[in-house]
Amino acid sequence: MQEIWRSGYEASSVKAISEKLGITRSSYYNSFGTREDLFRAVLAAYFAQSPDRALHESIPDQSVRLLISDTFRKVCAARGCDPEGRGCLAINSLCELAGGPQAKLSTMLIEAVLTSAARFEMLLELAVARGELDADTDVHGKALALQSLLIGINTLSKAVRNEEELWLAARTSLEALGVYEGEDASL
């Protein structure tokens, strides 16, 4: 996972990964299957440890706004402390593979982004139902904006490697969207 995250899918050929691990190509195929199989397994492992995984777990008992705010704070912390400034493996891979010859992998990554946006929408609908957001809230628009913010923070972190600066950008956007909640909330 670390090698694909660092170098990208195309640079992580069977030959490159085999050499990095000190194994033969046949051992690679016996252990991982195809390069596409390995990439799918890497993405599954990445999603399981990603700082935004809390958004995809069961319905929260806590405030939805707090869940969203805390999750963005965790994303900023994780991205800000990465000395390599790698950003998000899934977003990096989507940018690399979209429109290219790896249509199945590209489609899988697009579906992951769209599923994340749909999850934001479901959470915002829950926030409306709980009275955390106004009944006339455009949950679809806010969900797309939150997904865009998540992609943006993950991309910005490749250049801005400071947790507080990333959090300033995220919190400002969350406040503007009316979904920020925290001890220092100005709402």
Side-chain angles (χ1 to χ4, degrees):
M1 179 175 80
Q2 298 300 326
E3 185 59 29
I4 293 172
W5 195 355
R6 184 177 301 108
S7 302
Y9 178 81
E10 291 301 332
S12 300
S13 65
V14 172
K15 180 180 187 249
I17 296 290
S18 297
E19 288 174 359
K20 187 86 170 171
L21 295 174
I23 61 175
T24 64
R25 286 186 192 192
S26 61
S27 293
Y28 174 101
Y29 288 114
N30 288 333
S31 297
F32 305 119
T34 67
R35 185 167 95 157
E36 293 81 7
D37 292 337
L38 175 61
F39 185 71
R40 285 183 190 92
V42 162
L43 275 179
Y46 176 78
F47 287 140
Q49 59 89 45
S50 178
D52 68 339
R53 71 185 172 279
L55 295 173
H56 304 281
E57 295 172 351
S58 61
I59 302 297
D61 291 331
Q62 72 186 82
S63 153
V64 172
R65 290 173 51 199
L66 184 60
L67 171 67
I68 290 170
S69 299
D70 285 350
T71 299
F72 273 94
R73 183 71 186 187
K74 288 175 185 169
V75 169
C76 292
R79 301 300 176 238
C81 75
D82 182 358
E84 295 178 74
R86 294 171 296 174
C88 172
L89 172 64
I91 297 306
N92 295 348
S93 299
L94 176 60
C95 291
E96 178 184 5
L97 298 173
Q102 296 294 333
K104 287 183 182 178
L105 296 180
S106 177
T107 299
M108 180 182 65
L109 292 162
I110 290 167
E111 288 174 4
V113 169
L114 296 176
T115 297
S116 181
R119 179 63 177 178
F120 273 125
E121 189 165 347
M122 190 280 304
L123 289 170
L124 293 172
E125 288 170 351
L126 179 61
V128 168
R130 290 180 176 176
E132 294 177 48
L133 296 172
D134 292 335
D136 64 346
T137 297
D138 177 4
V139 294
H140 182 70
K142 282 187 194 261
L144 290 173
L146 288 170
Q147 185 62 41
S148 179
L149 176 60
L150 185 58
I151 292 168
I153 292 297
N154 281 306
T155 304
L156 181 63
S157 70
K158 294 173 86 55
V160 176
R161 298 179 183 176
N162 178 288
E163 175 184 349
E164 291 309 312
E165 290 290 302
L166 294 170
W167 176 235
L168 176 62
R171 187 176 128 194
T172 301
S173 296
L174 294 171
E175 286 176 342
L177 290 168
V179 296
Y180 175 70
E181 183 175 317
E183 289 181 17
D184 55 346
S186 60
L187 301 175

